[in-house]
Amino acid sequence: MATGNVGGDNIRTIQVKYTPGPELLAMMRDFQAMANHLLAYALHKRIKSARELRDAQYDWFERNYGGRYAVHYLHSACSYAAGIAQSWREIGKARMPHLQRPIARLDQMLVKVKRKDENGIRLQITIAPRQYAYLDLKVRHKKWKEWNQCKLGE
């Protein structure tokens, strides 16, 4: 996602269609499982902050995902789950929330942007220490040449 203020326009998101490869899809499924576990835990234990959730579930992460994923994935999943739990509490829905599709929320420590050409970018995603996956995105948007000067957001 590109963020910033270019030419008076406040840029929030550029949507890009892509099909993840097997490595990224596996990571997204694991992130979905992490987030669902953390969401259920946060709702059951009435945890409100991502930090409290992270501290309570660090050992669980190490047992189940340690070595396969950088600990930043736990931070991102806790932030994501705490946000969903907070929204669910405010709305007061009866049914427990559950993520149905593979997803990943990557904090800035996990992604490095490498410009491939003027029409797209290449993302280097840290899976585990010294283990990376690459994602090539072709961006077809009329303002992309202006917007690609901005920094990556979360």
Side-chain angles (χ1 to χ4, degrees), residues 120-150:
I121 57 176
R122 182 174 193 155
L123 299 179
Q124 176 182 299
I125 300 170
T126 302
I127 303 295
R130 293 171 297 288
Q131 181 184 351
Y132 308 100
Y134 294 91
L135 183 59
D136 293 314
L137 302 174
K138 293 289 183 190
V139 180
R140 292 180 181 93
H141 192 281
K142 62 184 177 183
K143 291 192 176 183
W144 171 247
K145 289 181 184 177
E146 292 176 58
W147 291 350
N148 73 0
Q149 302 301 316
C150 300

mmCIF file of all heavy atoms in Angstrom, residues 120-150:
data_model
loop_
_atom_site.group_PDB
_atom_site.id
_atom_site.type_symbol
_atom_site.label_atom_id
_atom_site.label_comp_id
_atom_site.label_asym_id
_atom_site.label_seq_id
_atom_site.Cartn_x
_atom_site.Cartn_y
_atom_site.Cartn_z
ATOM 1 N N GLY A 120 5.435 -1.169 -11.885
ATOM 2 C CA GLY A 120 5.220 -2.130 -10.815
ATOM 3 C C GLY A 120 6.343 -2.128 -9.804
ATOM 4 O O GLY A 120 7.326 -1.411 -9.941
ATOM 5 N N ILE A 121 6.163 -2.934 -8.785
ATOM 6 C CA ILE A 121 7.150 -3.045 -7.717
ATOM 7 C C ILE A 121 7.390 -4.510 -7.398
ATOM 8 O O ILE A 121 6.602 -5.381 -7.747
ATOM 9 C CB ILE A 121 6.697 -2.303 -6.433
ATOM 10 C CG1 ILE A 121 5.344 -2.826 -5.946
ATOM 11 C CG2 ILE A 121 6.671 -0.817 -6.647
ATOM 12 C CD1 ILE A 121 4.891 -2.223 -4.645
ATOM 13 N N ARG A 122 8.477 -4.743 -6.714
ATOM 14 C CA ARG A 122 8.805 -6.073 -6.216
ATOM 15 C C ARG A 122 8.933 -5.964 -4.709
ATOM 16 O O ARG A 122 9.662 -5.126 -4.195
ATOM 17 C CB ARG A 122 10.103 -6.568 -6.821
ATOM 18 C CG ARG A 122 10.444 -7.952 -6.365
ATOM 19 C CD ARG A 122 11.651 -8.495 -7.061
ATOM 20 N NE ARG A 122 11.679 -9.913 -6.755
ATOM 21 C CZ ARG A 122 12.241 -10.817 -7.491
ATOM 22 N NH1 ARG A 122 12.851 -10.481 -8.593
ATOM 23 N NH2 ARG A 122 12.218 -12.072 -7.136
ATOM 24 N N LEU A 123 8.188 -6.810 -3.999
ATOM 25 C CA LEU A 123 8.242 -6.844 -2.551
ATOM 26 C C LEU A 123 9.077 -8.030 -2.102
ATOM 27 O O LEU A 123 8.899 -9.139 -2.600
ATOM 28 C CB LEU A 123 6.839 -6.977 -1.956
ATOM 29 C CG LEU A 123 5.843 -5.875 -2.252
ATOM 30 C CD1 LEU A 123 4.512 -6.203 -1.604
ATOM 31 C CD2 LEU A 123 6.360 -4.540 -1.764
ATOM 32 N N GLN A 124 9.962 -7.776 -1.167
ATOM 33 C CA GLN A 124 10.711 -8.854 -0.524
ATOM 34 C C GLN A 124 10.078 -9.042 0.847
ATOM 35 O O GLN A 124 10.080 -8.135 1.670
ATOM 36 C CB GLN A 124 12.181 -8.480 -0.383
ATOM 37 C CG GLN A 124 12.988 -9.518 0.373
ATOM 38 C CD GLN A 124 14.424 -9.083 0.531
ATOM 39 O OE1 GLN A 124 15.122 -8.881 -0.450
ATOM 40 N NE2 GLN A 124 14.860 -8.916 1.770
ATOM 41 N N ILE A 125 9.509 -10.199 1.085
ATOM 42 C CA ILE A 125 8.802 -10.479 2.335
ATOM 43 C C ILE A 125 9.634 -11.447 3.159
ATOM 44 O O ILE A 125 9.983 -12.536 2.692
ATOM 45 C CB ILE A 125 7.407 -11.075 2.054
ATOM 46 C CG1 ILE A 125 6.592 -10.080 1.230
ATOM 47 C CG2 ILE A 125 6.702 -11.438 3.346
ATOM 48 C CD1 ILE A 125 5.301 -10.630 0.695
ATOM 49 N N THR A 126 9.951 -11.058 4.390
ATOM 50 C CA THR A 126 10.696 -11.924 5.290
ATOM 51 C C THR A 126 9.743 -12.970 5.847
ATOM 52 O O THR A 126 8.730 -12.630 6.457
ATOM 53 C CB THR A 126 11.316 -11.124 6.443
ATOM 54 O OG1 THR A 126 12.163 -10.111 5.897
ATOM 55 C CG2 THR A 126 12.108 -12.017 7.371
ATOM 56 N N ILE A 127 10.054 -14.224 5.634
ATOM 57 C CA ILE A 127 9.266 -15.324 6.185
ATOM 58 C C ILE A 127 9.847 -15.698 7.549
ATOM 59 O O ILE A 127 9.138 -15.752 8.553
ATOM 60 C CB ILE A 127 9.266 -16.545 5.240
ATOM 61 C CG1 ILE A 127 8.738 -16.158 3.852
ATOM 62 C CG2 ILE A 127 8.483 -17.702 5.844
ATOM 63 C CD1 ILE A 127 7.296 -15.741 3.798
ATOM 64 N N ALA A 128 11.121 -15.988 7.573
ATOM 65 C CA ALA A 128 11.867 -16.302 8.787
ATOM 66 C C ALA A 128 13.225 -15.613 8.628
ATOM 67 O O ALA A 128 13.535 -15.113 7.539
ATOM 68 C CB ALA A 128 12.028 -17.812 8.933
ATOM 69 N N PRO A 129 14.028 -15.564 9.672
ATOM 70 C CA PRO A 129 15.342 -14.932 9.503
ATOM 71 C C PRO A 129 16.113 -15.536 8.325
ATOM 72 O O PRO A 129 16.228 -16.754 8.206
ATOM 73 C CB PRO A 129 16.040 -15.217 10.839
ATOM 74 C CG PRO A 129 14.911 -15.323 11.821
ATOM 75 C CD PRO A 129 13.790 -15.983 11.058
ATOM 76 N N ARG A 130 16.552 -14.673 7.426
ATOM 77 C CA ARG A 130 17.300 -15.033 6.221
ATOM 78 C C ARG A 130 16.534 -15.952 5.272
ATOM 79 O O ARG A 130 17.110 -16.691 4.496
ATOM 80 C CB ARG A 130 18.666 -15.638 6.585
ATOM 81 C CG ARG A 130 19.590 -14.622 7.236
ATOM 82 C CD ARG A 130 20.842 -15.233 7.783
ATOM 83 N NE ARG A 130 20.674 -16.205 8.850
ATOM 84 C CZ ARG A 130 20.313 -15.929 10.102
ATOM 85 N NH1 ARG A 130 20.077 -14.692 10.463
ATOM 86 N NH2 ARG A 130 20.195 -16.878 11.000
ATOM 87 N N GLN A 131 15.220 -15.908 5.318
ATOM 88 C CA GLN A 131 14.365 -16.658 4.384
ATOM 89 C C GLN A 131 13.325 -15.685 3.837
ATOM 90 O O GLN A 131 12.568 -15.087 4.602
ATOM 91 C CB GLN A 131 13.681 -17.822 5.075
ATOM 92 C CG GLN A 131 12.817 -18.635 4.146
ATOM 93 C CD GLN A 131 12.066 -19.734 4.875
ATOM 94 O OE1 GLN A 131 12.296 -20.001 6.044
ATOM 95 N NE2 GLN A 131 11.141 -20.353 4.179
ATOM 96 N N TYR A 132 13.290 -15.525 2.519
ATOM 97 C CA TYR A 132 12.445 -14.511 1.895
ATOM 98 C C TYR A 132 11.569 -15.102 0.797
ATOM 99 O O TYR A 132 11.914 -16.096 0.182
ATOM 100 C CB TYR A 132 13.317 -13.402 1.274
ATOM 101 C CG TYR A 132 14.319 -12.826 2.231
ATOM 102 C CD1 TYR A 132 15.654 -13.219 2.198
ATOM 103 C CD2 TYR A 132 13.924 -11.898 3.185
ATOM 104 C CE1 TYR A 132 16.574 -12.696 3.081
ATOM 105 C CE2 TYR A 132 14.837 -11.373 4.075
ATOM 106 C CZ TYR A 132 16.161 -11.781 4.025
ATOM 107 O OH TYR A 132 17.063 -11.263 4.911
ATOM 108 N N ALA A 133 10.450 -14.435 0.576
ATOM 109 C CA ALA A 133 9.595 -14.702 -0.576
ATOM 110 C C ALA A 133 9.490 -13.389 -1.333
ATOM 111 O O ALA A 133 9.584 -12.304 -0.742
ATOM 112 C CB ALA A 133 8.220 -15.175 -0.137
ATOM 113 N N TYR A 134 9.314 -13.467 -2.633
ATOM 114 C CA TYR A 134 9.232 -12.266 -3.456
ATOM 115 C C TYR A 134 7.870 -12.208 -4.131
ATOM 116 O O TYR A 134 7.330 -13.227 -4.560
ATOM 117 C CB TYR A 134 10.348 -12.243 -4.491
ATOM 118 C CG TYR A 134 11.701 -12.112 -3.853
ATOM 119 C CD1 TYR A 134 12.441 -13.231 -3.499
ATOM 120 C CD2 TYR A 134 12.213 -10.854 -3.553
ATOM 121 C CE1 TYR A 134 13.674 -13.109 -2.885
ATOM 122 C CE2 TYR A 134 13.447 -10.722 -2.936
ATOM 123 C CZ TYR A 134 14.168 -11.850 -2.602
ATOM 124 O OH TYR A 134 15.373 -11.716 -1.987
ATOM 125 N N LEU A 135 7.363 -11.000 -4.228
ATOM 126 C CA LEU A 135 6.066 -10.775 -4.842
ATOM 127 C C LEU A 135 6.210 -9.642 -5.845
ATOM 128 O O LEU A 135 6.573 -8.519 -5.475
ATOM 129 C CB LEU A 135 5.045 -10.409 -3.765
ATOM 130 C CG LEU A 135 3.619 -10.192 -4.182
ATOM 131 C CD1 LEU A 135 3.045 -11.433 -4.838
ATOM 132 C CD2 LEU A 135 2.785 -9.834 -2.963
ATOM 133 N N ASP A 136 5.976 -9.949 -7.117
ATOM 134 C CA ASP A 136 6.033 -8.942 -8.172
ATOM 135 C C ASP A 136 4.623 -8.438 -8.438
ATOM 136 O O ASP A 136 3.724 -9.229 -8.726
ATOM 137 C CB ASP A 136 6.622 -9.532 -9.455
ATOM 138 C CG ASP A 136 8.084 -9.882 -9.282
ATOM 139 O OD1 ASP A 136 8.821 -9.039 -8.743
ATOM 140 O OD2 ASP A 136 8.480 -10.992 -9.667
ATOM 141 N N LEU A 137 4.434 -7.134 -8.316
ATOM 142 C CA LEU A 137 3.127 -6.524 -8.519
ATOM 143 C C LEU A 137 3.176 -5.564 -9.688
ATOM 144 O O LEU A 137 4.038 -4.686 -9.742
ATOM 145 C CB LEU A 137 2.691 -5.758 -7.258
ATOM 146 C CG LEU A 137 2.605 -6.562 -5.973
ATOM 147 C CD1 LEU A 137 2.321 -5.633 -4.799
ATOM 148 C CD2 LEU A 137 1.535 -7.620 -6.075
ATOM 149 N N LYS A 138 2.263 -5.719 -10.601
ATOM 150 C CA LYS A 138 2.105 -4.776 -11.706
ATOM 151 C C LYS A 138 0.989 -3.817 -11.315
ATOM 152 O O LYS A 138 -0.138 -4.239 -11.052
ATOM 153 C CB LYS A 138 1.731 -5.494 -13.011
ATOM 154 C CG LYS A 138 2.823 -6.376 -13.548
ATOM 155 C CD LYS A 138 3.955 -5.545 -14.082
ATOM 156 C CE LYS A 138 5.022 -6.432 -14.678
ATOM 157 N NZ LYS A 138 6.214 -5.696 -14.989
ATOM 158 N N VAL A 139 1.307 -2.556 -11.252
ATOM 159 C CA VAL A 139 0.338 -1.543 -10.844
ATOM 160 C C VAL A 139 -0.122 -0.787 -12.076
ATOM 161 O O VAL A 139 0.678 -0.178 -12.775
ATOM 162 C CB VAL A 139 0.952 -0.577 -9.810
ATOM 163 C CG1 VAL A 139 -0.068 0.452 -9.395
ATOM 164 C CG2 VAL A 139 1.460 -1.353 -8.608
ATOM 165 N N ARG A 140 -1.415 -0.848 -12.317
ATOM 166 C CA ARG A 140 -2.000 -0.126 -13.453
ATOM 167 C C ARG A 140 -2.963 0.906 -12.888
ATOM 168 O O ARG A 140 -4.147 0.635 -12.719
ATOM 169 C CB ARG A 140 -2.714 -1.099 -14.384
ATOM 170 C CG ARG A 140 -1.754 -2.020 -15.085
ATOM 171 C CD ARG A 140 -2.478 -2.981 -16.007
ATOM 172 N NE ARG A 140 -1.532 -3.873 -16.647
ATOM 173 C CZ ARG A 140 -1.206 -5.061 -16.176
ATOM 174 N NH1 ARG A 140 -1.722 -5.493 -15.057
ATOM 175 N NH2 ARG A 140 -0.344 -5.811 -16.827
ATOM 176 N N HIS A 141 -2.424 2.052 -12.558
ATOM 177 C CA HIS A 141 -3.233 3.136 -12.019
ATOM 178 C C HIS A 141 -2.704 4.433 -12.597
ATOM 179 O O HIS A 141 -1.493 4.629 -12.702
ATOM 180 C CB HIS A 141 -3.152 3.163 -10.487
ATOM 181 C CG HIS A 141 -4.172 4.052 -9.866
ATOM 182 N ND1 HIS A 141 -4.031 5.410 -9.816
ATOM 183 C CD2 HIS A 141 -5.353 3.762 -9.277
ATOM 184 C CE1 HIS A 141 -5.077 5.931 -9.211
ATOM 185 N NE2 HIS A 141 -5.895 4.959 -8.871
ATOM 186 N N LYS A 142 -3.596 5.331 -12.949
ATOM 187 C CA LYS A 142 -3.179 6.545 -13.654
ATOM 188 C C LYS A 142 -2.243 7.433 -12.843
ATOM 189 O O LYS A 142 -1.458 8.180 -13.404
ATOM 190 C CB LYS A 142 -4.398 7.336 -14.105
ATOM 191 C CG LYS A 142 -5.280 7.835 -12.986
ATOM 192 C CD LYS A 142 -6.504 8.526 -13.513
ATOM 193 C CE LYS A 142 -7.425 8.947 -12.378
ATOM 194 N NZ LYS A 142 -8.632 9.557 -12.874
ATOM 195 N N LYS A 143 -2.282 7.355 -11.516
ATOM 196 C CA LYS A 143 -1.413 8.196 -10.691
ATOM 197 C C LYS A 143 -0.242 7.430 -10.074
ATOM 198 O O LYS A 143 0.437 7.961 -9.206
ATOM 199 C CB LYS A 143 -2.236 8.854 -9.584
ATOM 200 C CG LYS A 143 -3.209 9.889 -10.106
ATOM 201 C CD LYS A 143 -3.780 10.695 -8.976
ATOM 202 C CE LYS A 143 -4.682 11.794 -9.512
ATOM 203 N NZ LYS A 143 -5.197 12.636 -8.437
ATOM 204 N N TRP A 144 -0.007 6.205 -10.508
ATOM 205 C CA TRP A 144 1.046 5.401 -9.894
ATOM 206 C C TRP A 144 2.418 6.066 -9.966
ATOM 207 O O TRP A 144 3.182 6.034 -9.022
ATOM 208 C CB TRP A 144 1.109 4.019 -10.535
ATOM 209 C CG TRP A 144 2.305 3.241 -10.085
ATOM 210 C CD1 TRP A 144 3.362 2.865 -10.823
ATOM 211 C CD2 TRP A 144 2.565 2.780 -8.754
ATOM 212 N NE1 TRP A 144 4.266 2.190 -10.059
ATOM 213 C CE2 TRP A 144 3.806 2.126 -8.782
ATOM 214 C CE3 TRP A 144 1.891 2.857 -7.542
ATOM 215 C CZ2 TRP A 144 4.372 1.546 -7.663
ATOM 216 C CZ3 TRP A 144 2.461 2.287 -6.417
ATOM 217 C CH2 TRP A 144 3.687 1.639 -6.483
ATOM 218 N N LYS A 145 2.747 6.708 -11.077
ATOM 219 C CA LYS A 145 4.067 7.328 -11.203
ATOM 220 C C LYS A 145 4.287 8.411 -10.156
ATOM 221 O O LYS A 145 5.391 8.584 -9.659
ATOM 222 C CB LYS A 145 4.261 7.878 -12.609
ATOM 223 C CG LYS A 145 4.426 6.779 -13.632
ATOM 224 C CD LYS A 145 4.632 7.320 -15.014
ATOM 225 C CE LYS A 145 4.693 6.173 -16.007
ATOM 226 N NZ LYS A 145 4.821 6.622 -17.371
ATOM 227 N N GLU A 146 3.229 9.129 -9.777
ATOM 228 C CA GLU A 146 3.332 10.120 -8.703
ATOM 229 C C GLU A 146 3.386 9.436 -7.342
ATOM 230 O O GLU A 146 4.176 9.789 -6.489
ATOM 231 C CB GLU A 146 2.114 11.040 -8.710
ATOM 232 C CG GLU A 146 1.995 11.957 -9.896
ATOM 233 C CD GLU A 146 0.684 12.735 -9.823
ATOM 234 O OE1 GLU A 146 0.488 13.446 -8.810
ATOM 235 O OE2 GLU A 146 -0.129 12.609 -10.745
ATOM 236 N N TRP A 147 2.519 8.474 -7.151
ATOM 237 C CA TRP A 147 2.353 7.856 -5.839
ATOM 238 C C TRP A 147 3.507 6.950 -5.441
ATOM 239 O O TRP A 147 3.747 6.754 -4.259
ATOM 240 C CB TRP A 147 1.068 7.055 -5.808
ATOM 241 C CG TRP A 147 -0.159 7.901 -5.852
ATOM 242 C CD1 TRP A 147 -0.236 9.266 -5.720
ATOM 243 C CD2 TRP A 147 -1.492 7.465 -6.035
ATOM 244 N NE1 TRP A 147 -1.524 9.681 -5.815
ATOM 245 C CE2 TRP A 147 -2.333 8.590 -6.021
ATOM 246 C CE3 TRP A 147 -2.071 6.225 -6.224
ATOM 247 C CZ2 TRP A 147 -3.689 8.515 -6.157
ATOM 248 C CZ3 TRP A 147 -3.432 6.142 -6.375
ATOM 249 C CH2 TRP A 147 -4.230 7.279 -6.337
ATOM 250 N N ASN A 148 4.220 6.373 -6.388
ATOM 251 C CA ASN A 148 5.245 5.413 -6.009
ATOM 252 C C ASN A 148 6.450 6.071 -5.334
ATOM 253 O O ASN A 148 7.374 5.395 -4.930
ATOM 254 C CB ASN A 148 5.672 4.546 -7.201
ATOM 255 C CG ASN A 148 6.509 5.273 -8.217
ATOM 256 O OD1 ASN A 148 6.809 6.453 -8.081
ATOM 257 N ND2 ASN A 148 6.864 4.577 -9.268
ATOM 258 N N GLN A 149 6.428 7.380 -5.210
ATOM 259 C CA GLN A 149 7.488 8.082 -4.475
ATOM 260 C C GLN A 149 7.268 8.013 -2.971
ATOM 261 O O GLN A 149 8.164 8.295 -2.194
ATOM 262 C CB GLN A 149 7.567 9.546 -4.919
ATOM 263 C CG GLN A 149 7.819 9.716 -6.398
ATOM 264 C CD GLN A 149 9.102 9.069 -6.860
ATOM 265 O OE1 GLN A 149 10.130 9.195 -6.207
ATOM 266 N NE2 GLN A 149 9.041 8.347 -7.966
ATOM 267 N N CYS A 150 6.062 7.639 -2.551
ATOM 268 C CA CYS A 150 5.721 7.582 -1.129
ATOM 269 C C CYS A 150 6.253 6.306 -0.500
ATOM 270 O O CYS A 150 6.570 5.350 -1.170
ATOM 271 C CB CYS A 150 4.203 7.625 -0.951
ATOM 272 S SG CYS A 150 3.490 9.128 -1.619
#
